[in-house]
Amino acid sequence: MRTYNLQSVDSLPQPHPERHRQAFVTGGAYALLFLFGAAQGLIGCFQYSRGAGPIPVAALLSAALILVTCVLGAAGMGSAAGALVPAAGWLLVSVVLTLPTPGGSVIVTNTAAGVWYLYGGSVCAAAGVVYAFVTRSRARVRRS
């Protein structure tokens, strides 16, 4: 008779390498979306004042770009989180760079261009997130 050894029993199910790979890729995509939104905020904070005469063209383009990024991020990821993540990255960097330093200097000033950049970008990021939530919820209702 053969002796039975408990160490030879594999009681745990084998992990599914396909799921782990997919989760890694999805997490990496969300991280890249966050970094892309943060990079847009970083570039926008230093370039917002460029314009044509009194029109702050760079601030308006930056606001439109974060809107497009949020909408395309949601479409690419297939979830509203794809819009929320770049908006959070943009907002985090823009708010941090708006705060005054101990020396009193600020990067985004209280000018018309600065107001258009911060408020316009915030409204566009929020609009992209709301659009993503609405379109994803409609798609979920259609599937039901």
Side-chain angles (χ1 to χ4, degrees), residues 30-136:
Y30 281 119
L32 287 175
L33 280 172
F34 181 84
L35 290 175
F36 189 56
Q40 286 180 10
L42 182 67
I43 293 168
C45 280
F46 288 103
Q47 301 297 322
Y48 72 94
S49 61
R50 296 185 184 268
I55 301 170
V57 175
L60 296 173
L61 285 176
S62 179
L65 185 63
I66 193 63
L67 173 67
V68 169
T69 301
C70 291
V71 170
L72 292 179
M77 296 304 292
S79 71
L84 189 61
V85 170
W90 181 89
L91 190 63
L92 178 73
V93 169
S94 295
V95 167
V96 167
L97 290 177
T98 302
L99 298 174
T101 63
S105 62
V106 292
I107 294 174
V108 179
T109 58
N110 190 15
T111 59
V115 169
W116 275 105
Y117 172 71
L118 287 175
Y119 292 121
S122 297
V123 167
C124 285
V129 171
V130 168
Y131 176 78
F133 273 107
V134 168
T135 57
R136 295 297 149 210

